[in-house]
Amino acid sequence: MKLLLSLAASAVLTFSTLPAQASSLHKDWESFKAHRAFHHLSSDGQHTMTDLLKARQLLAAGQTDAAIPALYDAQKRLAAATKASQKFQAAESDLHTAPGHPASPEHHVSTGQIDWLPVGGEFIASETLAPEQKAAVASANTQLKNGDTASAAQTMKVVGQNADFILALAPIAPFQGAINRATVFTEGRHPQEALEALNEALNSIIFVSEDFVTTMVPNNTHPATK
């Protein structure tokens, strides 16, 4: 859960560049591998995560009725995401978690070939980055959390190649099943059971490097946008 909530970290960055610098930054960005990862992000998948975290917050605060619309939205977004081209099939044993991002201790390992959906992304800053570059990474991660990949790409131009990109993958069937159970429990006014189902959904997510997903998913023509 800590890893998921880290996507919500925010920072504000303002910067300007001279024409010559802008040309150099553009060149750096074109060579930066994360632009490929944006093609793998699912806009509907990202919004599903936003809805789930909102529902979880409301349930934890005792606002059961208010959580129902967020769960309905999550179901609709996920249904749309599963029809898009970003999903891919793989055995969990073939997925290698990103360094420093182990699966949740409550994660249940799936067996056999299953469908996965990229539901979020996060930039990992190098220790050598300047303060303004680290601020850019934090700001871009907030934009990604909100599903705004276009703004994240613009923000990351100041960073260039000095950051890695990881993707959050959800196993579609278990993820969807847990969300459906959370919705039924919420409708029945059983907030504790609904929270447990939401935690199960969130704990099913694993983080992998962009390089791995690039080898698994055909490159799409257009990245996900807000």
Side-chain angles (χ1 to χ4, degrees):
M1 188 61 59
K2 180 179 178 182
L3 299 177
L4 292 169
L5 296 179
S6 72
L7 298 175
S10 62
V12 178
L13 171 70
T14 58
F15 62 89
S16 61
T17 58
L18 297 174
Q21 292 174 314
S23 176
S24 176
L25 286 173
H26 178 74
K27 182 179 179 180
D28 287 343
W29 180 245
E30 288 300 314
S31 64
F32 180 45
K33 68 179 182 179
H35 79 281
R36 298 196 312 271
F38 285 150
H39 293 288
H40 304 316
L41 281 173
S42 165
S43 179
D44 284 316
Q46 290 174 279
H47 284 292
T48 298
M49 285 298 301
T50 301
D51 293 331
L52 288 187
L53 292 173
K54 178 181 178 180
R56 188 180 185 281
Q57 183 179 30
L58 290 169
L59 286 167
Q63 301 178 46
T64 306
D65 288 344
I68 294 176
L71 288 168
Y72 285 167
D73 287 342
Q75 287 180 310
K76 292 176 183 177
R77 290 283 196 178
L78 184 58
T82 58
K83 298 177 182 178
S85 59
Q86 285 88 358
K87 66 181 179 181
F88 66 95
Q89 192 173 84
E92 183 168 345
S93 58
D94 292 331
L95 303 179
H96 302 289
T97 56
H101 287 72
S104 165
E106 288 77 34
H107 176 79
H108 296 291
V109 178
S110 300
T111 59
Q113 295 281 319
I114 61 173
D115 289 325
W116 298 86
L117 180 72
V119 294
E122 182 179 5
F123 290 102
I124 305 299
S126 165
E127 292 297 326
T128 61
L129 290 182
E132 66 271 16
Q133 292 176 314
K134 290 181 179 180
V137 171
S139 183
N141 281 337
T142 297
Q143 290 161 338
L144 284 176
K145 171 185 172 291
N146 294 326
D148 191 356
T149 55
S151 294
Q154 182 68 28
T155 301
M156 285 297 293
K157 286 183 178 181
V158 74
V159 179
Q161 300 182 30
N162 298 314
D164 291 322
F165 191 73
I166 61 174
L167 289 166
L169 303 180
I172 294 177
F175 189 68
Q176 194 167 42
I179 295 172
N180 291 342
R181 288 196 302 277
T183 303
V184 171
F185 283 131
T186 304
E187 290 172 332
R189 307 305 188 271
H190 300 290
Q192 186 56 45
E193 289 85 350
L195 276 172
E196 290 173 359
L198 280 184
N199 286 339
E200 183 180 336
L202 296 173
N203 288 334
S204 72
I205 292 172
I206 63 173
F207 290 82
V208 301
S209 71
E210 179 269 340
D211 284 338
F212 174 82
V213 177
T214 296
T215 66
M216 299 295 296
V217 187
N219 206 17
N220 296 320
T221 303
H222 300 290
T225 55
K226 186 176 181 179

